[in-house]
Amino acid sequence: MPYADTEAMQLHLDEISRTVARGAHAVLLLDRAGWHTSGQLVVPRNLTLIFLPSRAPELNPVENVWQYLRSNWLSNRVFETYEAIIDAACEAWRNLVAQPRTITSIGLRECAHIGQS
């Protein structure tokens, strides 16, 4: 979607809800972006939203994904057009998706595995 806003978030929640198995319940871990916390959202009954503390990007694993994309494919570049930005971001995402082990390593955090073997 071209925008991250309440309307897009509602569509996202509805789509997730449709894919949850009948009788199951899904939990979404979210930051506190305005479109995640909007009072206008109608959260489907088979979803629960859990919000991370404010100003705690280190708790949000996707922040590491964005950093990896910037560091490896998107930094130190000048984009001539909006379409060039979209193309570069899509190419970076495809590159990352082609590396499942890299995705796993980005998501691993020592603090999440303390006391576990």
Side-chain angles (χ1 to χ4, degrees), residues 20-72:
V20 173
R22 180 168 297 226
H25 195 88
V27 176
L28 280 70
L29 185 64
L30 303 165
D31 62 19
R32 293 181 181 267
W35 54 88
H36 293 160
T37 59
S38 171
Q40 296 175 2
L41 286 176
V42 178
V43 180
R45 294 184 66 199
N46 62 343
L47 301 180
T48 295
L49 308 183
I50 297 177
F51 297 100
L52 293 168
S54 296
R55 295 175 186 82
E58 69 279 3
L59 298 177
N60 190 348
V62 78
E63 295 296 337
N64 289 351
V65 172
W66 305 140
Q67 181 59 42
Y68 188 87
L69 291 172
R70 284 189 300 268
S71 295
N72 288 278

